[in-house]
Amino acid sequence: MRDGNNHGAGRNQLPVAVPNNQGGALAPVSAVTPSTVLAELRQADAPTSDEINLLDYWNILVKRRWTVLGLMLILLFAAFINTLLTTPIFRAGATIQIDRETLNVVNVEGVTPQGATNDWEFYETQYQLLRSRSLAERVASQLHLGADPSMRQQAQPSPWTALFGSLFGGQKKPVSATATTAAAKVEDDRNYSGVISGGLSIEPVRDSRLVNIQFDSPDPQFAARVANSVAESFIATNLERRFDASSYAKGYLEDRLAQLKQKLEDSERELVAFAQKEQILSATSTQTLMEQNLGELNSAVGLAQGVRIRAEARWRQAQASIGAALPADMLDGSNIRPLQERRSTLKSTFQEKLRLYKPEYPEMKQLQAQISEIDRQITAELNSLKSSVKAEYDATLTQETLLREQLSELKAETLDLQSRSINYNILQREVATNRELYDGLLQRYKEIGVAGGVSSNNISIVDRAQVPGGPYKPDMRRNLLIGLLIGLFLGVLLALLLEYLDDTVKNPEDIEKKLRLVHLGVIPKLGKDITPAAALIDVRSGFAEAYRSVRTALQFSTESGVPSVLVITSTQPGEGKSTTAKSLARNFALLGKRVLLIDADLRNPSLHRVFELDNSMGLSNCLSGAAKPGQCIHRVDQAGISVMLSGPLPPNPAELLAGPRMISLLTQASERFDQIIIDAPPVLGLADAPILGNLAKGTLLVIEAGRTRVGAVNATIKRLLSARTRLLGAVLTKFDAKAAGYGYGYGGYGYNSYQYYSYGGSAPKKLTARREEH
């Protein structure tokens, strides 16, 4: 019924949902009722969005366990196959010692090799030199890899390469091992530098100056030869680099000295010519004095501006004042206040004598003349005060203008000096820079002549590489463990991704957190061979107990108990609203109430099939005026339940439900029945449910777990609220606790506990059921 029909303003206060600022969800807001108190307590106990609830993640993994396990097995099998098809690799290693530079007889910085400034930089440089391409090419040339028969065997593709090469366009041809000329042989050898770089690994020994040079190859003898050759070539390269440094530096410095000498002479000539042209002796002192004067004048302008602003404010106050309403500081020292007091005295005398004499009486005319004279004096005094304030303002304005003109002139002079000094300073800095560069290079050139760079080699071989006795990889146990861990990680990541993409309402927490509604019950999902009618026959089953819990929650949903007219709807078809309507009607009838169940789904009715009744007469007949309500009510073979079917399907269901006959029908039915339950159509896409929700005293929203999306439910709630529907809460149907990852004991004591006590300690045949948290 409408708001005006509520029995008292404080008795039937129903919780409503409004949009929430966080994520567009809808939050219940109403007066204090048991339902709202329950929702607030649950919301207070729930973790905030910034907190991490590990139990929620565990439930997600349990729910998606087959996804995680499947991906783990796939990766484990892939690691096993990869290990079997991978070519065995042998590793040989040599050890060298790298010391810091020894003392030189003559040590010229930048000419004689000095190394890095600290140990870390020095040794990191040596490691990168060991990995360089030039060293790899040198090793390949020394070993004559182009003519080595073992390289043909190593050039053969691995089983994986052969498999994928045959599938995707053939195999890559190996580098040719034959050459006709000496130059061609050298070039052919260098083509194998990639083989050296690809199999080489440099591993420093921690807290020492030792470095392990390791090489991986399918041929153990070849691996040992390459490791030893890398160590020997690195020592030779280090010595050659020392002798090449000084000769290159000397030739480079000779060219640079000639260029800098000419550049220095040209810059000095340009500086002298510019100073004579602009008549500049020293721009620094003149510019400093002008900047000092500019600062003092700028301060004076600021002070003059402040004085002018105050004088302007006094003048504007004087202009805006009416009569003698000038500021108190302007009236001090003037004759206005005594004149005002005298005028007040004369005015009082005039008013007193006005009781005895008429205004034309001579004495009254004399008083009036005195008052007029005082008014003239006050006006003259005010004009004098305003003139003095205006004169003060004009003087301060003139002073500020003069100071600003002087400041502008001084700025112009300063800018002109700065403009002329820029080029002078640029030329002066260029001369100084060229002179410093020339002097420094000349000193270095003199030192190079005596730089011998004589020192001992700082790199030595500690252990030569030996032929390995067994393969280094693949390691079956290690690969299986890595595949298992990667599979576990990817499986968990995929499970969390699927859960994130799944925006359906999955559990009661989603109703409270995402929809901000009170969840009034959780209905378990039945097995494939169990129908709702069969499950409701067993009053001790979890399915029947779930609807009794919903009935109990509805009794506490408002201060006056369950609403007498209750609409049951859902977001989309097939969510269990008709089953919920029938089950609640049956449970309210078991309490001894007279219950009327109305099938208001005039588009796709279902109650006539549930009760196996003729649907030729029903709600549509009553609303169209073809029949009276009493003729459309059927008494079913259940205690206290009466049913009004939908009747023939009309062409205009929304117009019939919004008409006055529907209100009249509910009013008459409320006088005859204790409880009216309306099975309404789904909300989305139809106008029927919002119309019925507006007429009823309460609306119950049915949501199917794991199927109905959060966005669709939010749209449903917004439509219901826009029709001023009194939304009591939501019931979650078809909830599969095991599939949701909660097991049978969701939320504490589940329906299994209820069944255990109901059957005296012996568990009956299980129906998938859940407990509703109150």
Side-chain angles (χ1 to χ4, degrees):
M1 305 299 290
R2 298 189 182 274
D3 295 342
N5 297 331
N6 289 342
H7 302 286
R11 295 183 58 190
N12 194 15
Q13 296 174 340
L14 303 177
V16 219
V18 296
N20 194 326
N21 291 332
Q22 300 177 352
L26 300 173
V29 176
S30 72
V32 178
T33 65
S35 299
T36 55
V37 172
L38 176 61
E40 291 176 359
L41 291 176
R42 286 174 175 169
Q43 185 176 359
D45 293 337
T48 62
S49 58
D50 296 334
E51 297 179 359
I52 298 178
N53 193 339
L54 297 180
L55 182 59
D56 291 343
Y57 288 103
W58 172 252
N59 291 334
I60 293 174
L61 296 181
V62 172
K63 175 183 177 181
R64 309 277 183 180
R65 57 190 177 276
W66 296 116
T67 301
V68 178
L69 293 177
L71 206 54
M72 287 176 59
L73 293 177
I74 292 174
L75 268 294
L76 187 64
F77 181 74
F80 177 74
I81 297 299
N82 178 66
T83 303
L84 294 180
L85 296 180
T86 301
T87 303
I89 300 298
F90 297 86
R91 170 171 287 187
T95 303
I96 62 174
Q97 179 178 342
I98 303 177
D99 297 321
R100 290 298 300 263
E101 299 293 338
T102 56
L103 181 64
N104 293 328
V105 177
V106 178
N107 188 1
V108 179
E109 181 181 359
V111 178
T112 304
Q114 294 296 316
T117 57
N118 54 56
D119 288 343
W120 181 86
E121 292 181 355
F122 170 76
Y123 285 107
E124 186 63 28
T125 302
Q126 302 303 312
Y127 304 150
Q128 296 302 322
L129 290 175
L130 283 168
R131 301 185 182 99
S132 64
R133 178 179 54 84
S134 60
L135 183 61
E137 292 178 351
R138 179 167 183 161
V139 172
S141 299
Q142 289 180 353
L143 296 178
H144 303 290
L145 297 184
D148 192 345
S150 63
M151 293 304 298
R152 298 191 184 96
Q153 181 181 0
Q154 296 185 36
Q156 296 297 324
S158 65
W160 276 116
T161 306
L163 176 62
F164 286 102
S166 61
L167 294 177
F168 301 104
Q171 303 173 4
K172 185 178 180 180
K173 294 182 179 180
V175 180
S176 174
T178 62
T180 57
T181 64
K185 288 182 179 180
V186 173
E187 184 65 25
D188 194 49
D189 292 338
R190 291 181 177 178
N191 289 334
Y192 284 93
S193 62
V195 177
I196 305 299
S197 300
L200 184 65
S201 60
I202 307 300
E203 295 185 359
V205 180
R206 189 173 182 179
D207 298 331
S208 71
R209 292 170 291 176
L210 301 180
V211 180
N212 291 328
I213 301 175
Q214 299 174 343
F215 187 79
D216 298 340
S217 174
D219 185 358
Q221 289 80 11
F222 180 75
R225 284 195 300 131
V226 172
N228 291 326
S229 179
V230 169
E232 294 169 356
S233 299
F234 182 64
I235 293 175
T237 303
N238 184 60
L239 291 175
E240 292 174 359
R241 191 167 54 252
R242 291 171 179 269
F243 291 111
D244 293 340
S246 60
S247 59
Y248 174 78
K250 186 174 181 180
Y252 171 77
L253 288 180
E254 288 177 353
D255 296 338
R256 289 294 298 161
L257 279 172
Q259 296 174 5
L260 285 176
K261 181 178 180 181
Q262 183 64 36
K263 191 174 183 179
L264 177 61
E265 293 175 356
D266 294 342
S267 60
E268 288 177 343
R269 291 191 190 96
E270 291 180 3
L271 178 63
V272 172
F274 184 81
Q276 292 177 353
K277 178 182 178 181
E278 298 293 336
Q279 298 181 355
I280 297 177
L281 297 178
S282 177
T284 305
S285 58
T286 305
Q287 186 173 358
T288 303
L289 180 59
M290 295 186 70
E291 290 177 352
Q292 183 178 357
N293 294 336
L294 186 64
E296 293 176 354
L297 189 58
N298 194 25
S299 300
V301 170
L303 294 175
Q305 182 179 6
V307 174
R308 190 265 304 165
I309 290 174
R310 289 191 294 271
E312 183 179 1
R314 287 170 55 86
W315 167 237
R316 293 185 182 277
Q317 289 179 353
Q319 279 185 319
S321 61
I322 299 174
L326 291 175
D329 56 343
M330 296 184 185
L331 297 177
D332 294 339
S334 64
N335 294 328
I336 294 178
R337 294 189 184 279
L339 291 174
Q340 288 177 340
E341 293 176 358
R342 184 179 176 188
R343 183 183 184 280
S344 299
T345 303
L346 293 175
K347 193 71 176 177
S348 299
T349 305
F350 181 81
Q351 293 295 332
E352 289 178 359
K353 292 186 177 184
L354 190 62
R355 299 175 182 176
L356 302 177
Y357 307 105
K358 292 183 179 181
E360 292 78 7
Y361 190 72
E363 186 177 355
M364 297 298 290
K365 289 184 178 181
Q366 184 179 3
L367 288 174
Q368 184 66 33
Q370 292 177 358
I371 293 174
S372 299
E373 178 62 22
I374 292 176
D375 288 340
R376 187 190 61 78
Q377 293 177 5
I378 291 175
T379 301
E381 190 69 24
L382 288 174
N383 292 334
S384 177
L385 284 175
K386 290 182 179 180
S387 299
S388 62
V389 171
K390 181 63 169 62
E392 180 183 359
Y393 166 65
D394 292 340
T396 56
L397 181 60
T398 302
Q399 182 181 6
E400 181 185 2
T401 303
L402 293 175
L403 289 176
R404 288 188 181 276
E405 292 176 356
Q406 295 179 5
L407 180 63
S408 301
E409 294 176 358
L410 187 58
K411 283 183 179 179
E413 295 177 1
T414 304
L415 291 176
D416 180 63
L417 177 62
Q418 290 178 350
S419 176
R420 289 187 291 116
S421 300
I422 289 176
N423 293 332
Y424 179 84
N425 294 332
I426 291 175
L427 295 173
Q428 194 175 30
R429 285 194 298 269
E430 185 177 359
V431 169
T433 302
N434 292 336
R435 183 177 289 110
E436 290 177 1
L437 291 175
Y438 180 79
D439 293 341
L441 285 179
L442 184 61
Q443 180 65 27
R444 298 293 293 275
Y445 180 77
K446 294 178 181 178
E447 293 174 353
I448 287 177
V450 292
V454 181
S455 64
S456 61
N457 191 17
N458 62 320
I459 302 175
S460 60
I461 299 177
V462 178
D463 291 326
R464 300 186 66 84
Q466 302 294 329
V467 178
Y472 167 70
K473 60 183 181 181
D475 187 348
M476 176 67 75
R477 181 180 301 177
R478 179 171 175 269
N479 289 350
L480 291 180
L481 180 60
I482 292 176
L484 188 66
L485 293 178
I486 294 177
L488 176 61
F489 173 76
L490 294 179
V492 171
L493 191 64
L494 180 60
L496 296 177
L497 178 62
L498 293 176
E499 187 69 19
Y500 175 77
L501 296 177
D502 184 9
D503 62 342
T504 59
V505 180
K506 296 176 282 295
N507 50 55
E509 283 79 2
D510 290 344
I511 295 178
E512 294 180 349
K513 296 178 182 178
K514 298 180 181 180
L515 304 178
R516 297 295 180 181
L517 289 179
V518 177
H519 78 87
L520 300 176
V522 179
I523 309 302
K525 184 177 182 180
L526 298 177
K528 295 182 179 180
D529 300 331
I530 304 175
T531 62
L536 289 173
I537 293 176
D538 185 2
V539 296
R540 293 182 293 181
S541 67
F543 190 77
E545 174 61 22
Y547 277 112
R548 284 197 290 273
S549 297
V550 176
R551 179 194 66 187
T552 304
L554 287 173
Q555 290 175 332
F556 292 98
S557 61
T558 66
E559 292 183 353
S560 58
V562 60
S564 59
V565 180
L566 178 63
V567 170
I568 298 178
T569 185
S570 62
T571 300
Q572 54 190 347
E575 297 191 56
K577 61 178 182 60
S578 298
T579 302
T580 301
K582 175 190 173 184
S583 302
L584 289 178
R586 180 176 180 273
N587 280 282
F588 281 120
L590 292 176
L591 295 178
K593 289 187 175 183
R594 296 169 298 172
V595 180
L596 174 61
L597 178 59
I598 301 177
D599 189 353
D601 193 347
L602 301 182
R603 302 174 189 270
N604 186 22
S606 60
L607 290 183
H608 65 282
R609 293 191 296 270
V610 174
F611 292 103
E612 298 179 354
L613 297 174
D614 182 16
N615 196 27
S616 60
M617 185 71 68
L619 179 61
S620 61
N621 302 97
C622 295
L623 297 182
S624 62
K628 295 182 179 180
Q631 298 174 350
C632 303
I633 296 177
H634 301 270
R635 180 76 175 184
V636 298
D637 191 15
Q638 295 183 15
I641 298 180
S642 298
V643 178
M644 177 179 288
L645 302 178
S646 64
L649 300 184
N652 54 346
E655 286 77 3
L656 291 179
L657 294 176
R661 286 195 177 94
M662 187 64 190
I663 301 176
S664 176
L665 173 62
L666 295 178
T667 303
Q668 296 177 21
S670 299
E671 297 174 357
R672 179 178 173 184
F673 295 95
D674 301 323
Q675 183 68 53
I676 301 174
I677 297 178
I678 302 176
D679 181 12
V683 176
L684 290 185
L686 302 175
D688 303 2
I691 293 173
L692 293 173
N694 179 267
L695 298 177
K697 293 184 178 180
T699 300
L700 178 64
L701 184 61
V702 176
I703 303 173
E704 181 179 349
R707 175 171 171 251
T708 309
R709 298 185 178 275
V710 174
V713 180
N714 278 331
T716 296
I717 297 172
K718 289 180 181 179
R719 285 202 61 194
L720 292 174
L721 294 180
S722 64
R724 301 182 62 84
T725 301
R726 300 148 194 83
L727 194 57
L728 302 179
V731 173
L732 189 66
T733 61
K734 303 179 184 180
F735 179 68
D736 190 350
K738 294 180 67 177
Y742 294 97
Y744 285 103
Y746 170 75
Y749 295 98
Y751 283 126
N752 290 344
S753 301
Y754 168 79
Q755 292 172 355
Y756 180 84
Y757 287 110
S758 298
Y759 286 85
S762 61
K765 181 180 179 180
K766 292 184 178 179
L767 298 175
T768 305
R770 301 295 300 155
R771 160 194 169 266
E772 163 61 17
E773 296 177 320
H774 293 292

